[in-house]
């Protein structure tokens, strides 16, 4: 759930960060990967507009993927990147495993 305290104000650029649990990717189908990417893409756009945030030209995705979910995780990143390309946004996976 994404919320913003009414007193929160900033003129700084924000990098939206999304954490995806490993179980989310277990046994995920190609259609579900597309749905997940589209849902995250639209949610980030919606919240940036709703809260009047200046989002940077990137989005950070964090996931503790494993060998069993690695392939689907990177398929998801490619899908999300293709959606975000039309908005000229850089997709930054979280630091760590690559």
């Amino acid at each position: 759930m994404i919320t913003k305290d009414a007193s929160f104000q900033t003129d700084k650029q924000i990098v939206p960060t999304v954490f995806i649990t490993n179980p989310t990717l277990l046994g995920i189908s190609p259609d579900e990967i597309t749905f997940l990417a589209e849902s995250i893409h639209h949610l980030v756009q919606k919240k940036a507009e709703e809260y009047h945030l200046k989002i940077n030209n990137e989005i950070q995705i964090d996931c503790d993927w494993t060998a069993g979910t690695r392939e689907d995780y990177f398929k998801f990143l490619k899908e999300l990147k293709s959606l975000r390309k039309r908005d000229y946004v850089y997709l930054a996976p979280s630091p760590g495993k690559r």
Side-chain angles (χ1 to χ4, degrees):
M1 175 166 223
I2 299 173
T3 60
K4 181 184 125 184
D5 186 277
S7 66
F8 177 80
Q9 298 291 325
T10 186
D11 60 350
K12 295 184 179 358
Q13 294 274 327
I14 302 293
V15 177
T17 304
V18 177
F19 180 76
I20 300 172
T21 62
N22 192 52
T24 300
L25 300 172
L26 288 172
I28 195 168
S29 72
D31 286 342
E32 291 169 325
I33 289 171
T34 299
F35 177 78
L36 181 61
E38 289 172 347
S39 297
I40 289 173
H41 174 73
H42 294 303
L43 180 63
V44 168
Q45 288 182 321
K46 177 183 172 187
K47 292 301 177 179
E49 290 173 18
E50 182 179 334
Y51 295 143
H52 307 288
L53 299 174
K54 294 182 199 175
I55 60 172
N56 204 341
N57 63 343
E58 66 183 277
I59 179 174
Q60 180 175 323
I61 304 295
D62 188 8
C63 180
D64 294 332
W65 54 269
T66 61
T69 58
R70 181 184 188 280
E71 186 176 323
D72 288 330
Y73 174 65
F74 284 95
K75 284 179 185 175
F76 159 76
L77 290 179
K78 285 180 185 176
E79 184 73 29
L80 183 59
K81 185 175 183 177
S82 72
L83 291 168
R84 308 245 355 130
K85 264 188 183 177
R86 65 177 180 235
D87 295 331
Y88 305 102
V89 176
Y90 172 69
L91 179 62
S94 61
K97 298 186 267 185
R98 291 195 187 179

